[in-house]
Amino acid sequence: MNPFAQPLSRRRAMQESALGFGFLALADLLAGEAHAAGKVDPLAPKPPHFPARAKRVIFLFMKGGPSHVDLFDPKPELDKYDGKPFPGEKPRVQFAATGALLKSPWKFKQYGQCGQPVSELFPHMAQHVDDLCMIHSLHGTNPAHGGALLKFHTGSDNFVRPSMGAWVAYGLGTENRDLPAFITICPTLAHGGVNNWGSAFLPAATQGVPIGNAAIPVDKAKVRYISPLYPTNVQQRQLELLAAANRDHLQATGHDAMLEGRIDSFELAFRMQRTLPAVEDISRETPETQALYGLDNPTTAPFGRQCLLARRFAEAGVRFVQVTHSDTAVQWDQHGNLKRDHEKNAREVDKPIAGLLADLKRRGLLQDTLVIWGGEFGRTPVAQGKDGRDHNPEGFTVWLAGGGVKPGFRYGATDDFGYFAVQDKVHIHDFHATMLHLLGLDHERLTFRHAGRDFRLTDVAGNVVKGIMA
Amino acid sequence: MMLSEAYQRSSQLTPTQAVIAVDTRSAPVLGGLGAVQIASGPTLRNPLQADADNTLLWRFTPRRLEAEEIRDALLAVSGKLDPSYTGGRALMRLKNRDYVFNHTSKDGTDYDTFRRTVYLPVIRNNLYDVLQLFDATDATVSSGDRPTTTVSTQALFWMNSNLLQDNASVIATNLLSATSLDDAGRVRELIATAYGRPATEVEVKRYSQAVREFDTAYQASEPDRAKRQHKAWTVVCQIVLAANEFVFIK
């Protein structure tokens, strides 16, 4: 057969081109175009709509609803009116009945050049306030965990929609073809579960690859099917024979992008099988770095390991890494035992998060990594019982760091008691629009056609919050 | 049209055998069969050259099996598939009105069955990952179409999943229990079972040789000859199941 009678396929180009690897760049470029058309690999790297301030995201998700008035948004009025009824009108829809105002059991101090107040629960994180951009005026709509998690992760609390990590993977692809574009470390299976890292109608490859879940200790958590079934020499020979069979089949069928793509995918998988465990192997880190994340202490070690993994994935080119702090019982959901359990949670995450920020900074990764910290909502300034707070989606704090946001900055505010966002309000849709903007994506142009119309992460809403950008 | 035997058969042709020609100069941009002519006169050209992407549908475009078909096909060729009808609670090993899942991540999910995939339970919080991997859309979204993606996490499944290995192992057992067959005969049986066609001589040679190679590779770790043979055949059966020919219809 005359090889010139066939259109040039990538595989043939590699086999036959006299230019060898010089040609590979062109072939990759051509393949990239085919990929962009959604034909074969939806994770091929794609350019952003406009120059990006951040290339990747690390999302530190505090499941359950951390109490903003006890952590980053102090309210002196609460001390003054402790035990008195809330003077304003409570939200029409509440999760449960609440009582009088409850002052914070913790002291606040101002830190850094910016003077951001942080509660005594976060002594380590407080050292990094000059790198943080606080948004005190986030607000959502749903006062229950399930709806609020879905709203925060997918932009919708009533329909199944792609998660924000999937949208980012869809929009930008992955920087490292040996790794997934979106990894979620120990996600919670409850309150929307898979939908919180799912791809819904986007290409399935954009969904988050979970490493374990909240019920599995992080050091036992693994990616599915990553462990070889056979000794290396057997598997290698097996894959050679598989490739030979596939080549024969391709020869008989003729050029086909799917068939060729699948042949390539085994080569990638073989590399991923080596790359992923290597990236997950934190024993390669120095004892100093491990200690920075609190791995030397049983309280901080689990979340510290998650944060260290997040940095290693981000460094290796994973586009969106989510780290969830949750367990099967307590989480950040203190309807009661606020003092005991918020202290427990804070102790577990404070040092690891501070370590992550310090580590990203010293490696030069913070400038193009967007770190997001937050929960699905905040908590009410009014009490449940004597030592608890209810869910509060009306106003809460999320902080950002790195990735083109103003460091040491505060944006927006809640009212005097911390119940409602009142100044420079940032709805969850606005937050999503802003996150995409920082990644170089226009939230109105990042669309996917499904069921006869275009869909967006921000539905028909969302304003980019320009005020927080450096 | 795509189901017509003649149409499918045209896709079996190798490029050099092509007898159907496409004249792209005169073809409408989105032409269907109207643009395809039975070879005649000066328009005879290699269709692969004229229309590599098959936009004019001169052949059946290879189609990957959908997620459910993949699982069913694996179980079918190993003889494990339970074709019985009806679903019901027999598939959920839970007490009546018991939670499969609760907010503390309690997990009662159980996909361990040989029933056809269409009868698998759909646990919204813990969907069957094999289906997810092969583009079954989220079970809570209505969807008129599924994309067909090719990603390396799927390849990991073909390389390293228990579902693959278990079925390959059962086929290996079946092949070895046919004591009247020699290795070449077993390869012929394997290809016929998996692909529904006779094996080529290249395949007979390739896989008979491979069985000997893998047998040697396991010499040190597996002293029992029968067990070693079974291991070697399992590895080979897995190759056949993981190959494009098993996963694509053309």
Side-chain angles (χ1 to χ4, degrees):
Chain A
M1 188 198 320
N2 172 6
F4 296 103
Q6 283 198 39
L8 194 61
S9 74
R10 202 151 67 99
R11 179 156 298 276
R12 290 183 68 84
M14 267 304 289
Q15 284 167 350
E16 294 171 8
S17 168
L19 298 170
F21 275 87
F23 192 84
L24 184 60
L26 174 65
D28 239 10
L29 206 67
L30 296 172
E33 284 171 14
H35 291 149
K39 268 182 129 175
V40 180
D41 182 356
L43 296 183
K46 281 175 245 132
H49 296 141
F50 42 79
R53 293 158 189 261
K55 283 187 175 160
R56 63 195 79 83
V57 173
I58 296 178
F59 173 31
L60 306 168
F61 179 56
M62 307 292 115
K63 193 200 168 241
S67 175
H68 55 294
V69 293
D70 295 312
L71 299 169
F72 294 116
D73 193 12
K75 295 295 170 184
E77 300 293 291
L78 279 185
D79 292 333
K80 208 161 137 195
Y81 295 98
D82 181 38
K84 304 274 194 316
F86 176 63
E89 211 173 303
K90 288 182 185 175
R92 195 173 58 82
V93 178
Q94 294 176 74
F95 186 71
T98 49
L101 292 164
L102 175 71
K103 70 172 185 179
S104 176
W106 297 285
K107 302 266 178 296
F108 280 79
K109 246 174 64 184
Q110 290 185 309
Y111 291 86
Q113 298 266 305
C114 65
Q116 165 72 36
V118 179
S119 102
E120 58 188 324
L121 284 176
F122 285 152
H124 294 96
M125 239 186 277
Q127 303 303 318
H128 294 273
V129 286
D130 286 335
D131 288 317
L132 306 183
C133 176
M134 294 276 164
I135 303 177
H136 289 304
S137 53
L138 225 84
H139 66 111
T141 38
N142 202 307
H145 294 292
L149 252 87
L150 288 165
K151 188 82 180 179
F152 205 96
H153 285 81
T154 74
S156 174
D157 45 3
N158 42 6
F159 298 107
V160 176
R161 295 284 181 260
S163 59
M164 55 176 161
W167 277 110
V168 171
Y170 164 69
L172 297 174
T174 179
E175 284 184 303
N176 187 337
R177 306 288 290 278
D178 293 358
L179 292 170
F182 172 18
I183 288 179
T184 177
I185 304 169
C186 297
T188 173
L189 293 176
H191 299 127
V194 289
N195 290 333
N196 289 307
W197 67 91
S199 52
F201 43 74
L202 290 180
T206 61
Q207 72 191 316
V209 170
I211 299 187
N213 62 55
I216 297 174
V218 60
D219 53 340
K220 302 275 185 299
K222 267 168 61 173
V223 170
R224 293 283 280 161
Y225 312 128
I226 200 70
S227 307
L229 294 171
Y230 306 109
T232 309
N233 61 330
V234 171
Q235 193 190 43
Q236 227 156 1
R237 184 72 189 125
Q238 192 185 30
L239 291 173
E240 281 168 24
L241 289 162
L242 177 65
N246 284 339
R247 277 196 301 271
D248 290 354
H249 178 252
L250 186 66
Q251 185 83 8
T253 312
H255 166 61
D256 182 274
M258 287 279 295
L259 297 178
E260 296 195 5
R262 191 162 178 274
I263 295 174
D264 287 343
S265 76
F266 279 92
E267 291 163 19
L268 277 177
F270 187 68
R271 294 210 298 275
M272 188 188 283
Q273 203 180 248
R274 291 173 170 199
T275 310
L276 198 61
V279 178
E280 286 180 289
D281 182 7
I282 57 169
S283 70
R284 296 174 181 215
E285 299 287 338
T286 63
E288 185 269 335
T289 300
Q290 297 196 15
L292 187 65
Y293 286 81
L295 291 187
D296 51 354
N297 176 328
T299 304
T300 46
F303 196 70
R305 183 180 282 265
Q306 287 177 258
C307 287
L308 181 50
L309 279 176
R311 191 221 84 211
R312 289 179 63 87
F313 284 131
E315 198 173 36
V318 176
R319 194 65 78 175
F320 196 104
V321 186
Q322 175 162 346
V323 179
T324 299
H325 181 258
S326 178
D327 55 29
T328 54
V330 179
Q331 305 150 4
W332 287 84
D333 190 25
Q334 272 70 64
H335 295 278
N337 290 323
L338 174 69
K339 188 138 182 5
R340 187 192 72 191
D341 292 341
H342 250 48
E343 267 169 14
K344 168 197 172 282
N345 291 328
R347 265 199 307 273
E348 288 173 358
V349 304
D350 181 37
K351 180 120 196 263
I353 292 174
L356 173 67
L357 290 169
D359 202 21
L360 287 173
K361 204 171 178 183
R362 70 182 181 179
R363 285 164 191 269
L365 282 166
L366 192 58
Q367 52 184 340
D368 55 5
T369 303
L370 177 66
V371 183
I372 302 168
W373 178 97
E376 68 269 36
F377 39 52
R379 304 204 80 78
T380 55
V382 288
Q384 281 183 313
K386 287 190 161 49
D387 182 25
R389 299 186 189 278
D390 195 17
H391 308 165
N392 181 16
E394 308 294 339
F396 59 103
T397 298
V398 160
W399 62 247
L400 310 175
V405 297
K406 284 182 184 159
F409 189 69
R410 305 181 70 177
Y411 186 87
T414 48
D415 61 36
D416 287 345
F417 300 94
Y419 215 138
F420 294 88
V422 289
Q423 182 200 319
D424 294 328
K425 293 173 72 168
V426 178
H427 189 270
I428 286 168
H429 291 310
D430 304 330
F431 165 75
H432 286 150
T434 308
M435 178 193 75
L436 292 179
H437 187 92
L438 290 166
L439 290 162
L441 295 169
D442 177 346
H443 73 104
E444 293 186 348
R445 281 162 67 197
L446 184 67
T447 61
F448 190 88
R449 185 149 281 246
H450 163 71
R453 75 164 171 94
D454 287 341
F455 282 81
R456 311 191 327 223
L457 172 58
T458 50
D459 195 9
V460 293
N463 294 303
V464 174
V465 184
K466 292 264 167 69
I468 61 151
M469 291 182 194
Chain B
M1 179 187 71
M2 295 207 295
L3 297 174
S4 100
E5 202 184 329
Y7 185 68
Q8 289 201 20
R9 189 166 295 152
S10 75
S11 67
Q12 307 286 333
L13 298 169
T14 63
T16 46
Q17 290 173 310
V19 292
I20 296 179
V22 180
D23 184 351
T24 50
R25 287 163 302 181
S26 63
V29 177
L30 290 172
L33 266 186
V36 180
Q37 306 167 4
I38 299 302
S40 68
T43 58
L44 180 68
R45 287 166 67 183
N46 183 339
L48 266 179
Q49 190 181 27
D51 180 25
D53 291 336
N54 195 29
T55 51
L56 303 178
L57 305 179
W58 58 274
R59 60 165 178 161
F60 184 82
T61 300
R63 174 178 82 77
R64 200 201 68 201
L65 297 180
E66 291 198 23
E68 292 85 349
E69 296 170 316
I70 287 173
R71 179 178 169 278
D72 285 357
L74 286 170
L75 292 172
V77 293
S78 71
K80 283 285 182 193
L81 188 68
D82 172 358
S84 54
Y85 289 120
T86 77
R89 275 211 331 112
L91 286 165
M92 298 286 294
R93 285 160 229 180
L94 292 163
K95 279 186 293 191
N96 208 7
R97 297 193 188 86
D98 202 6
Y99 284 114
V100 182
F101 240 86
N102 66 14
H103 73 284
T104 63
S105 292
K106 173 212 164 202
D107 184 359
T109 319
D110 186 0
Y111 295 114
D112 196 10
T113 167
F114 294 124
R115 295 292 301 278
R116 289 174 55 210
T117 310
V118 69
Y119 292 119
L120 282 188
V122 174
I123 312 299
R124 285 174 304 169
N125 271 17
N126 200 2
L127 295 163
Y128 185 41
D129 66 312
V130 175
L131 302 189
Q132 291 292 291
L133 196 53
F134 293 101
D135 308 304
T137 44
D138 193 306
T140 45
V141 189
S142 63
S143 172
D145 193 16
R146 290 180 184 174
T148 305
T149 63
T150 306
V151 290
S152 39
T153 41
Q154 292 167 353
L156 284 175
F157 165 83
W158 294 103
M159 286 156 64
N160 298 334
S161 72
N162 289 332
L163 187 63
L164 247 283
Q165 195 187 30
D166 291 349
N167 283 289
S169 164
V170 174
I171 299 171
T173 307
N174 296 344
L175 292 173
L176 287 165
S177 65
T179 44
S180 59
L181 292 176
D182 60 359
D183 279 356
R186 292 196 175 99
V187 172
R188 290 197 176 89
E189 181 67 27
L190 170 61
I191 296 295
T193 309
Y195 303 155
R197 62 160 174 84
T200 64
E201 280 317 298
V202 173
E203 283 167 331
V204 172
K205 215 177 129 195
R206 179 183 289 153
Y207 294 129
S208 306
Q209 164 76 21
V211 167
R212 287 195 291 278
E213 276 182 49
F214 292 127
D215 187 85
T216 312
Y218 280 118
Q219 205 96 50
S221 60
E222 183 55 78
D224 184 296
R225 188 172 174 278
K227 283 186 185 159
R228 202 166 62 232
Q229 275 280 299
H230 181 260
K231 276 190 169 180
W233 273 101
T234 301
V235 174
V236 167
C237 290
Q238 191 177 344
I239 297 170
V240 171
L241 295 180
N244 279 350
E245 185 161 358
F246 186 78
V247 189
F248 283 84
I249 296 174
K250 65 166 187 174

Coordinates of all heavy atoms in Angstrom, one line a residue, chain A residues 3 45 77 83 126 146 171 174 197 249 259 264 296 300 318 320 364 407 423 433-434:
Chain A
P3 N 1.8 4.6 1.2 CA 1.4 5.3 2.5 C 0.9 6.7 2.2 O 0.2 7.3 3.0 CB 2.7 5.3 3.3 CG 3.8 5.0 2.3 CD 3.2 4.2 1.2
P45 N -4.9 20.4 26.7 CA -4.8 21.8 27.1 C -5.4 22.7 26.2 O -5.3 22.6 24.9 CB -3.3 22.0 27.2 CG -2.7 20.7 27.0 CD -3.7 19.7 26.5
E77 N -20.6 43.9 68.6 CA -22.0 44.1 69.0 C -22.5 42.8 69.7 O -23.4 42.8 70.5 CB -22.8 44.5 67.8 CG -22.5 45.8 67.1 CD -22.7 47.0 68.0 OE1 -23.9 47.3 68.3 OE2 -21.7 47.6 68.5
G83 N -27.1 37.4 74.6 CA -28.3 37.0 75.3 C -29.5 37.8 75.0 O -30.6 37.4 75.4
A126 N -3.3 32.9 60.9 CA -3.2 34.3 61.2 C -1.9 34.9 60.8 O -1.9 36.1 60.4 CB -3.5 34.6 62.7
G146 N -27.3 19.9 51.9 CA -27.3 19.3 50.6 C -27.4 20.4 49.5 O -26.6 20.5 48.6
G171 N -12.9 23.9 30.5 CA -12.4 25.1 29.9 C -11.0 25.1 29.6 O -10.5 25.7 28.6
T174 N -6.0 19.8 30.9 CA -5.0 19.6 32.0 C -3.6 19.9 31.5 O -3.3 19.8 30.3 CB -5.1 18.1 32.5 OG1 -4.1 17.9 33.4 CG2 -4.8 17.1 31.3
W197 N -18.6 16.7 42.6 CA -17.4 16.7 41.8 C -17.7 16.1 40.4 O -16.9 15.7 39.7 CB -16.2 16.1 42.5 CG -16.4 14.6 42.7 CD1 -16.0 13.6 41.9 CD2 -16.9 13.9 43.9 NE1 -16.2 12.4 42.5 CE2 -16.8 12.6 43.7 CE3 -17.4 14.4 45.1 CZ2 -17.2 11.6 44.7 CZ3 -17.9 13.5 46.0 CH2 -17.8 12.1 45.8
H249 N -5.7 -4.2 14.0 CA -7.1 -3.9 13.8 C -7.3 -2.5 13.1 O -8.2 -2.4 12.3 CB -7.7 -3.8 15.3 CG -9.2 -3.4 15.3 ND1 -9.6 -2.2 15.8 CD2 -10.3 -4.1 14.9 CE1 -10.9 -2.1 15.7 NE2 -11.4 -3.3 15.2
L259 N -10.1 5.1 17.5 CA -9.3 3.9 17.7 C -7.8 4.3 18.0 O -7.2 3.7 18.9 CB -9.3 3.0 16.4 CG -10.7 2.5 16.0 CD1 -10.6 1.7 14.7 CD2 -11.2 1.5 17.1
D264 N -3.3 5.4 22.1 CA -2.5 6.3 22.9 C -2.9 6.3 24.4 O -2.0 6.4 25.3 CB -2.8 7.7 22.4 CG -2.1 8.0 21.1 OD1 -1.2 7.2 20.7 OD2 -2.5 9.0 20.4
D296 N 3.9 15.7 61.7 CA 4.5 15.1 62.8 C 3.6 15.1 64.1 O 4.0 14.7 65.1 CB 5.8 15.9 63.2 CG 5.6 17.4 63.3 OD1 4.4 17.8 63.0 OD2 6.5 18.1 63.6
T300 N -2.9 17.0 63.4 CA -2.9 17.7 62.2 C -2.4 16.8 61.0 O -2.6 17.3 59.9 CB -1.9 18.9 62.3 OG1 -0.7 18.4 62.9 CG2 -2.5 20.0 63.1
V318 N -2.0 19.5 37.9 CA -3.4 19.2 38.0 C -4.1 20.6 38.1 O -3.7 21.4 38.8 CB -3.8 18.3 39.2 CG1 -5.3 18.2 39.4 CG2 -3.1 17.0 39.1
F320 N -7.4 21.5 38.9 CA -8.3 21.8 40.1 C -8.1 20.8 41.1 O -8.4 19.6 40.8 CB -9.7 21.9 39.5 CG -10.7 22.6 40.4 CD1 -11.1 23.9 40.2 CD2 -11.2 22.0 41.6 CE1 -12.0 24.6 41.0 CE2 -12.0 22.6 42.4 CZ -12.5 23.9 42.2
G364 N 7.2 29.6 44.8 CA 6.8 30.4 43.7 C 5.5 30.0 43.1 O 5.1 30.4 42.0
P407 N -3.6 40.9 48.0 CA -3.2 40.3 49.2 C -3.5 41.2 50.4 O -3.5 42.4 50.2 CB -1.7 40.0 49.0 CG -1.3 41.0 48.0 CD -2.5 41.4 47.2
Q423 N -22.7 44.9 52.5 CA -21.9 45.8 51.7 C -21.1 45.0 50.7 O -20.5 43.9 51.0 CB -21.0 46.5 52.7 CG -20.1 47.6 52.0 CD -18.9 47.9 52.8 OE1 -19.0 48.0 54.1 NE2 -17.7 48.0 52.2
A433 N -18.2 33.4 38.9 CA -17.8 34.2 37.8 C -16.4 34.8 38.0 O -15.5 34.8 37.1 CB -18.8 35.4 37.6
T434 N -16.1 35.2 39.2 CA -14.8 35.7 39.6 C -13.7 34.7 39.5 O -12.6 34.9 39.0 CB -14.9 36.3 41.0 OG1 -16.0 37.2 41.1 CG2 -13.6 37.1 41.3

